[in-house]
């Protein structure tokens, strides 16, 4: 047999194995979670209850917590990731460029438990004293800030998540920015644009990469477990403000799995949470792909 | 007074001396060709005029370039004003592919605040596209992306984009080098038409093109200005031996 043929066959083998594993995971998610859906139906998603004694589970709070912390993270991270990418590719002298990029890439690869530890002991007290308390004291009439904050809550988790995903989104945007053809920049400058106007025009040119970076980062934020579990508060209630302690689906699973097997329906409930997280992630990704494609077709 | 007066212009990339003491005057309403073999400094000379050269962090310039008597290298000058005086068309057609045909033309006037309202902008865009002989081909597709146009159309769109800023002079850096012969000859016709209202400087490595379109021609060789004069003169009775060898195709 020719080596090309062997290569081709082994390639197909690897692809099939990978696909089988992915499909297998989805099947086991559905298979292991259906008892909880049989028991509670839609109530599993729409109610707020976690009562193992009576085997009653409804995961609305962690679902909301996941959505809220991700939304906070993405709204902080998007402008900062774009700024960092521009800063790294336009503003700083080329001698420092690789240093800044390396630091940023290192940040993207730090284990999340390190972020969690730092978030718990450094970030949370600072945010509490200088951001959350002032916001609550002066703008507490806005429902968003109405609850008196403790250091660990949904907001802290969102900010910590944003710090974790900035380097991630930024490196995708930066790659695209540095790949912009030189003659497009020349064209922009030749039209009498200022540096800032050129940057603005070029950001328009790479907007599909910006979308891609932001949505990939969003996917990461939604799935992030350890760091969030350490700062989110881990309390099962429907949040009334972003300063409420809460849960996310992934932190719920991480916190509850050790004693889950003692109860008949807790394992299916955790699988149910996983299935919902998977589905929400899938929907976000599909929306992201759709947006990217629409932008691509336009240009 | 000539439109552009260049005196004692020198340029370097790092230690490499790429323009050596250039002195040149460009009269009004003519096509002025700068010809010479690859790497002789033609494109650099063009970019030294509108200060695009400064985008290259290794580039250094000394000397004077005056447009209508105003030194573009003066300390007090606004560099965006300088660049607006020189419309520029590049070797590879480079419309902004993510913008519509309309927006490609409109972006310059919009960013520079040259129009007061939408209808004024509409008029300006139409005028520029008509001037660039593109209006009839695109008037129903103004909202479509510029990337759907053919190479020749894209280059004419770039000419319209430059015209929309109402520049005093148009710089063309080998504008037909990447086009097929039909599209290239359209651009050449367009240049002859634009000469009525504009001054055009075209850089070309093709002496035949210089002979076809230009009124004046300068021959640049290894960063030095070898000869400059009326095109008919330079091509029939070149003063310098190097020029003679270049126009008959022995160098370059």
């Amino acid at each position: 047999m020719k080596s090309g043929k062997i290569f081709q066959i082994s390639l197909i083998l690897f692809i099939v194995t990978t696909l089988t594993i992915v499909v297998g995971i989805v099947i086991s998610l559905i298979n292991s979670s259906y008892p909880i859906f049989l028991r509670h139906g839609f109530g599993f998603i729409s109610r707020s209850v976690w009562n193992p004694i009576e085997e009653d589970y409804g995961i609305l709070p962690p679902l909301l917590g996941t959505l809220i912390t991700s939304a906070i993270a993405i709204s902080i991270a998007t402008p900062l990731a774009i700024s960092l990418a521009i800063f790294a590719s336009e503003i700083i002298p080329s001698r420092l460029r690789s240093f800044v990029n390396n630091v940023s890439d290192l940040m993207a690869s730090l284990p999340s438990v390190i972020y969690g530890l730092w978030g718990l002991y450094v970030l949370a007290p600072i945010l509490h004293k200088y951001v959350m308390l002032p916001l609550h004291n002066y703008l507490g009439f806005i429902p968003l800030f109405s609850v008196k904050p403790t250091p660990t809550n949904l907001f802290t988790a969102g900010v910590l998540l944003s710090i974790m995903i900035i380097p991630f989104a930024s490196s995708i945007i930066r790659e695209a920015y540095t790949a912009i053809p030189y003659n497009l920049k020349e064209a922009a400058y030749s039209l009498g644009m200022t540096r800032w106007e050129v940057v603005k025009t070029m950001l328009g040119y790479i907007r599909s990469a910006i979308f891609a970076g932001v949505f990939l980062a969003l996917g990461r934020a939604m799935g992030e477990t350890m760091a969030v579990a350490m700062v989110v508060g881990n309390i099962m209630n429907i949040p009334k403000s972003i300063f409420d302690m809460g849960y996310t689906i992934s932190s719920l699973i991480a916190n509850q799995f050790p004693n889950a097997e003692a109860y008949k329906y807790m394992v299916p409930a955790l699988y149910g949470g996983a299935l919902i997280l998977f589905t929400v992630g899938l929907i976000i990704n599909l929306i992201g792909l759709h947006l990217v494609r629409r932008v691509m077709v336009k240009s | 007074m000539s439109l552009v007066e260049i005196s004692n212009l020198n340029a370097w990339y790092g230690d490499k001396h790429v323009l050596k003491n250039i002195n040149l005057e460009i009269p009004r309403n003519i096509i002025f060709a700068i010809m010479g073999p690859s790497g002789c400094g033609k494109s650099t000379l063009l970019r030294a005029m509108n200060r695009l050269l400064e985008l290259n962090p290794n580039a250094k310039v000394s000397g004077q370039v005056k447009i209508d008597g105003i030194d573009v290298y003066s300390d007090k000058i606004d560099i965006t004003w300088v660049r607006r005086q020189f419309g520029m068309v590049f070797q590879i057609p480079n419309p902004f592919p993510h913008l519509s045909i309309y927006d490609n033309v409109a972006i310059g006037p919009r960013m520079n605040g040259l129009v007061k309202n939408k209808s004024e902008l509409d008029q300006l865009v139409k005028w520029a596209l008509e001037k660039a002989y593109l209006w009839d081909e695109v008037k129903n597709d103004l909202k479509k992306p510029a990337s759907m146009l053919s190479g020749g159309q894209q280059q004419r769109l770039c000419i319209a984009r430059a015209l929309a800023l109402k520049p005093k002079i148009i710089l063309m850096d080998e504008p037909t080098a990447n086009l097929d012969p039909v599209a290239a000859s359209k651009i050449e016709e367009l240049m002859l038409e634009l000469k009525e209202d504009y001054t055009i400087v075209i850089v070309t490595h093709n002496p035949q093109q210089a002979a076809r379109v230009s009124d004046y021609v300068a021959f640049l060789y290894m960063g030095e200005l070898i000869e400059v004069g009326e095109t008919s003169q330079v091509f029939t009775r070149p003063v310098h031996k190097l020029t003679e060898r270049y126009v008959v195709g022995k160098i370059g």
Side-chain angles (χ1 to χ4, degrees), chain A residues 183 186 189 191-192 197 298, chain B residues 47 80 83 94 97 111-112 145:
Chain A
N183 73 28
E186 266 195 318
Y189 278 109
L191 295 174
E197 288 167 340
K298 259 190 178 171
Chain B
R47 282 165 173 75
T80 63
R83 292 188 179 136
N94 58 356
M111 293 246 178
N112 288 286

Side-chain angles (χ1 to χ4, degrees), chain A residues 110-292:
Chain A
L110 275 189
S112 69
V113 68
I114 294 178
Y115 280 102
L117 210 57
W118 176 80
L120 181 60
Y121 292 115
V122 181
L123 180 68
I126 293 176
L127 281 180
H128 185 239
K129 189 168 170 197
Y130 297 106
V131 181
M132 296 191 270
L133 281 176
L135 275 177
H136 171 69
N137 290 340
Y138 295 108
L139 298 171
F141 58 90
I142 301 173
L144 219 53
F145 309 128
S146 60
V147 172
K148 188 167 171 46
T150 50
T152 55
N153 56 31
L154 294 169
F155 179 74
T156 309
V159 174
L160 183 61
L161 275 176
S162 77
I163 295 170
M164 295 174 71
I165 62 177
I166 285 168
F168 195 69
S170 180
S171 87
I172 293 170
I173 299 170
R174 189 183 74 216
E175 290 299 322
Y177 198 93
T178 23
I180 294 172
Y182 183 65
N183 73 28
L184 277 188
K185 285 193 194 170
E186 266 195 318
Y189 278 109
S190 81
L191 295 174
M193 289 190 203
T194 61
R195 194 182 202 178
W196 169 236
E197 288 167 340
V198 173
V199 167
K200 231 167 71 180
T201 309
M202 294 303 120
L203 286 179
Y205 175 67
I206 59 160
R207 61 193 164 181
S208 59
I210 295 177
F211 273 125
V214 166
F215 271 90
L216 282 173
L218 181 58
R220 218 196 133 171
M222 290 193 3
E224 177 49 47
T225 308
M226 198 55 221
V228 174
M230 291 166 82
V231 299
V232 79
N234 301 316
I235 282 180
M236 196 77 176
N237 67 353
I238 302 271
K240 288 181 279 303
S241 111
I242 56 172
F243 293 156
D244 258 321
M245 298 218 242
Y247 245 139
T248 63
I249 294 179
S250 46
S251 68
L252 174 81
I253 296 172
N255 274 297
Q256 298 292 336
F257 83 91
N259 47 12
E261 283 187 73
Y263 307 95
K264 190 174 170 210
Y265 281 100
M266 203 194 279
V267 173
L270 295 182
Y271 264 110
L275 182 65
I276 290 166
L277 186 60
F278 175 84
T279 312
V280 175
L282 195 68
I283 292 170
I284 297 271
N285 269 304
L286 288 178
I287 295 173
L289 279 178
H290 174 73
L291 284 176
V292 169

